[in-house]
mmCIF file of all heavy atoms in Angstrom:
data_model
loop_
_atom_site.group_PDB
_atom_site.id
_atom_site.type_symbol
_atom_site.label_atom_id
_atom_site.label_comp_id
_atom_site.label_asym_id
_atom_site.label_seq_id
_atom_site.Cartn_x
_atom_site.Cartn_y
_atom_site.Cartn_z
ATOM 1 N N VAL K 196 3.400 -52.046 -54.747
ATOM 2 C CA VAL K 196 4.802 -52.026 -55.082
ATOM 3 C C VAL K 196 5.547 -50.986 -54.313
ATOM 4 O O VAL K 196 4.978 -50.237 -53.520
ATOM 5 C CB VAL K 196 4.842 -51.574 -56.627
ATOM 6 C CG1 VAL K 196 4.078 -52.636 -57.508
ATOM 7 C CG2 VAL K 196 4.245 -50.127 -56.832
ATOM 8 N N ILE K 205 1.962 -43.172 -69.489
ATOM 9 C CA ILE K 205 0.832 -42.161 -69.509
ATOM 10 C C ILE K 205 -0.097 -42.533 -70.696
ATOM 11 O O ILE K 205 0.237 -43.001 -71.719
ATOM 12 C CB ILE K 205 1.473 -40.693 -69.646
ATOM 13 C CG1 ILE K 205 0.343 -39.680 -69.480
ATOM 14 C CG2 ILE K 205 1.960 -40.416 -70.971
ATOM 15 C CD1 ILE K 205 0.821 -38.232 -69.158
ATOM 16 N N ASP K 218 5.309 -40.830 -73.826
ATOM 17 C CA ASP K 218 6.121 -41.905 -73.151
ATOM 18 C C ASP K 218 6.507 -41.606 -71.721
ATOM 19 O O ASP K 218 7.398 -42.319 -71.206
ATOM 20 C CB ASP K 218 7.413 -42.315 -74.079
ATOM 21 C CG ASP K 218 8.374 -41.129 -74.030
ATOM 22 O OD1 ASP K 218 7.887 -40.005 -73.742
ATOM 23 O OD2 ASP K 218 9.473 -41.498 -74.601
ATOM 24 N N THR K 413 8.217 -35.916 -54.088
ATOM 25 C CA THR K 413 7.609 -36.965 -54.925
ATOM 26 C C THR K 413 8.199 -36.879 -56.338
ATOM 27 O O THR K 413 8.319 -37.986 -57.023
ATOM 28 C CB THR K 413 6.110 -36.605 -54.963
ATOM 29 O OG1 THR K 413 5.605 -36.496 -53.642
ATOM 30 C CG2 THR K 413 5.363 -37.586 -55.718
#
Side-chain angles (χ1 to χ4, degrees):
V196 300
I205 195 168
D218 60 351
T413 306

